[in-house]
Amino acid sequence: MKAVELQGLTRRFKDKLAVDHVNLSLEEGELFALLGVNGAGKTTTIRMLCGLLPPDEGDALLMGHSIVHEPELAKAQLNVSPQETAVAPNLTVRENLCFIAQLYGSDSRSAREKAAQMIADFHLEDKADKRAKTLSGGQQRRLSLAMALISQPKLLFLDEPTLGLDVLARRELWQQIRALHGKVTIILTTHYLEEAEALSDRIGIMVNGHLTALGSAAELIAQAGASNFEDAFIALAAKEGVQA
């Protein structure tokens, strides 16, 4: 079974066709980066997959569940680490994690156990009982990612996970994301091209609501006849074409 299947997914806003009959399949455990300039349709696509916007046409299956006909079952497969770090600043690291675990149905004992595991996995032991607002930006992003994973989703959306982080904090978070490879299907959106190239199995480039290029970084470089991924992205993002 495919982890994600987009089947002619379409969304309009008045006269604008924001997402135009997009087709795409992702394998379980794949790390997929969705790239495009502002207004390309990335955010609208993700919002439909997360159940925040209904499609006007088409459908998408998340672990076999339709976002149109089984929206609650589809949403149960996923979690999101949003661009804005979604932590409660006055709660401790442990309290943030326990709160999210209980929100997803864990009893208090199980929530504490899951929180302890996440604290260990994300190397936050020395910050476990500190308020989240005292953490550095990189530590807050690690906590936000741990909070998204504590519900044990099969599908994880990472929206600009390293936005605003310094180089060292970004690389540390890359290590955390790499550790998830193969364990959960990840859809990554980012404006850092080197991030997409370093982390993803495949990359999709959206242009004006179309998925115009799809492949590994090396395949896209070859497709564009470029010498590096940045030049390939610029060339491919400037093209309207048939969906990959």
Side-chain angles (χ1 to χ4, degrees):
M1 178 175 61
K2 301 289 185 182
V4 179
E5 291 185 81
L6 277 62
Q7 303 171 342
L9 198 65
T10 302
R11 176 72 192 198
R12 298 177 178 86
F13 293 104
K14 296 183 178 180
D15 296 331
K16 179 178 174 57
L17 192 56
V19 177
D20 188 3
H21 297 88
V22 171
N23 298 293
L24 175 68
S25 294
L26 303 183
E27 300 292 338
E28 288 189 55
E30 183 173 358
L31 201 163
F32 179 79
L34 184 61
L35 305 183
V37 299
N38 291 336
K42 308 184 305 297
T43 299
T44 300
T45 300
I46 298 301
R47 291 183 72 192
M48 285 191 285
L49 293 177
C50 291
L52 299 175
L53 276 178
D56 291 318
E57 296 179 39
D59 199 354
L61 305 181
L62 307 183
M63 302 304 298
H65 298 290
S66 163
I67 65 170
V68 174
H69 303 294
E70 305 170 287
E72 294 304 318
L73 287 173
K75 282 192 284 188
Q77 309 305 312
L78 64 89
N79 213 329
V80 181
S81 183
Q83 184 180 129
E84 297 297 329
T85 304
V87 302
N90 289 319
L91 296 183
T92 67
V93 167
R94 194 184 311 278
E95 288 168 344
N96 268 283
L97 290 164
C98 286
F99 172 73
I100 295 299
Q102 289 181 292
L103 194 64
Y104 278 87
S106 295
D107 59 32
S108 59
R109 179 178 177 180
S110 177
R112 288 194 300 272
E113 291 172 350
K114 290 179 179 179
Q117 185 62 56
M118 286 294 166
I119 287 166
D121 289 348
F122 285 85
H123 309 299
L124 291 166
E125 292 93 338
D126 60 334
K127 302 295 183 181
D129 297 307
K130 302 290 186 183
R131 291 188 180 186
K133 65 183 179 183
T134 68
L135 273 57
S136 68
Q139 290 165 345
Q140 287 194 23
R141 292 301 301 177
R142 279 153 56 196
L143 174 56
S144 181
L145 183 55
M147 290 165 65
L149 287 166
I150 202 165
S151 65
Q152 299 178 308
K154 295 183 174 66
L155 176 61
L156 177 65
F157 292 92
L158 296 180
D159 184 17
E160 299 283 350
T162 63
L163 183 67
L165 298 185
D166 61 41
V167 173
L168 181 58
R170 182 179 300 155
R171 295 301 171 123
E172 288 176 347
L173 195 61
W174 283 12
Q175 292 178 4
Q176 299 290 340
I177 295 170
R178 285 192 178 106
L180 300 172
H181 189 263
K183 300 176 183 177
V184 58
T185 305
I186 298 173
I187 297 179
L188 165 73
T189 60
T190 179
H191 285 296
Y192 297 120
L193 299 181
E194 74 276 14
E195 185 162 276
E197 184 177 13
L199 296 177
S200 59
D201 297 306
R202 289 190 302 160
I203 298 166
I205 297 176
M206 290 196 77
V207 181
N208 294 332
H210 299 107
L211 190 63
T212 60
L214 179 66
S216 67
E219 289 168 344
L220 294 178
I221 290 169
Q223 182 180 330
S227 60
N228 58 70
F229 183 64
E230 181 177 354
D231 288 346
F233 172 78
I234 291 170
L236 294 168
K239 288 174 57 178
E240 270 291 359
V242 178
Q243 293 183 49

